[in-house]
Amino acid sequence: MPEPEKNEPGGPPGPIRQLDPRSLRGLAHPLRIRLLAALRHHGPATASQLADRLGESSGATSYHLRQLASHGFVEDAPERGKGRERWWQAVHQGTSWDPSLFEDEDPGTRGAVNVFLHEIATLHAQELNTWIGTMRDWPGEWARSADLSDFTLRLSARQLRELDEKVHAVINGFRDAEPDEDATQVRLHLHAFPQQSD
């Protein structure tokens, strides 16, 4: 599978990274996933800054940043560095993976899928809980505009794929929209999965 085109050094992260078994195993570690998420959401940072943000040691963040770099998820941000200070930046805006990796013959790959998905679910829950805990710090219009909804539909697997594709298209349409003056970073989570009927 061809590697997505890299971003320009110092520019915004490039396109979505498609995970294969090797890169998935390289990413599937709780701290690596958190480090990559922090760089994508907050921009370039040093290992020490990331350690402070995540409550980890700088030795651990340095090691796992190097591992992420070896798999092409992060790279140096040399224009930010001063002296021996090493800054890191995300290479891609996000990751995508083929659910067929669940059925990979290698149990290591299947285990990496489980680690990856559980950690993403944990991050989503943390972000949502942070919003709920801090929403009174935001102007009221943000609380009125935010959404915490769930829906139960009766769909086939084909219809669920179609729904996902349409929702993704709407969201991606806003990526290129000119932001209003009062725009801020907004997180959107989309969870769609089958559920046993009672």
Side-chain angles (χ1 to χ4, degrees):
M1 183 174 304
E3 188 71 12
E5 185 179 334
K6 283 184 66 174
N7 60 311
E8 291 299 318
I16 303 299
R17 166 78 180 266
Q18 179 72 33
L19 297 177
D20 57 27
R22 181 182 177 278
S23 60
L24 175 63
R25 288 192 301 271
L27 177 59
H29 182 284
L31 182 52
R32 290 180 200 169
I33 292 170
R34 290 167 57 216
L35 286 166
L36 185 55
L39 290 172
R40 285 177 175 164
H41 300 165
H42 304 291
T46 66
S48 296
Q49 290 169 337
L50 290 164
D52 290 343
R53 178 182 290 276
L54 301 178
E56 298 285 344
S57 72
S58 58
T61 56
S62 291
Y63 171 78
H64 288 290
L65 284 164
R66 290 193 303 273
Q67 293 301 308
L68 287 168
S70 73
H71 288 277
F73 291 103
V74 302
E75 64 186 0
D76 284 317
E79 69 287 347
R80 293 288 192 103
K82 296 174 184 168
R84 296 180 57 186
E85 189 175 53
R86 188 175 189 181
W87 284 70
W88 297 91
Q89 64 187 7
V91 176
H92 306 94
Q93 294 174 2
T95 48
S96 176
W97 63 286
D98 189 326
S100 67
L101 291 174
F102 262 131
E103 301 158 9
D104 195 281
E105 293 181 7
D106 181 357
T109 299
R110 293 194 307 270
V113 168
N114 287 336
V115 170
F116 176 75
L117 291 179
H118 279 97
E119 193 60 28
I120 295 301
T122 298
L123 284 173
H124 287 187
Q126 288 171 347
E127 289 178 348
L128 184 55
N129 285 325
T130 297
W131 160 247
I132 291 169
T134 61
M135 60 190 288
R136 293 197 195 320
D137 299 338
W138 290 80
E141 64 184 318
W142 283 104
R144 290 188 296 274
S145 299
D147 185 31
L148 179 57
S149 299
D150 64 271
F151 306 90
T152 302
L153 307 174
R154 192 163 180 81
L155 304 172
S156 66
R158 179 194 61 78
Q159 289 172 316
L160 180 56
R161 278 194 308 275
E162 182 181 344
L163 175 61
D164 284 344
E165 288 168 2
K166 287 181 177 179
V167 171
H168 281 242
V170 169
I171 293 168
N172 285 325
F174 279 86
R175 288 187 191 275
D176 299 326
E178 188 67 31
D180 294 341
E181 282 185 16
D182 63 344
T184 191
Q185 182 167 285
V186 170
R187 293 285 290 149
L188 295 170
H189 298 164
L190 175 61
H191 306 151
F193 49 88
Q195 184 180 45
Q196 291 288 342
S197 300
D198 290 336

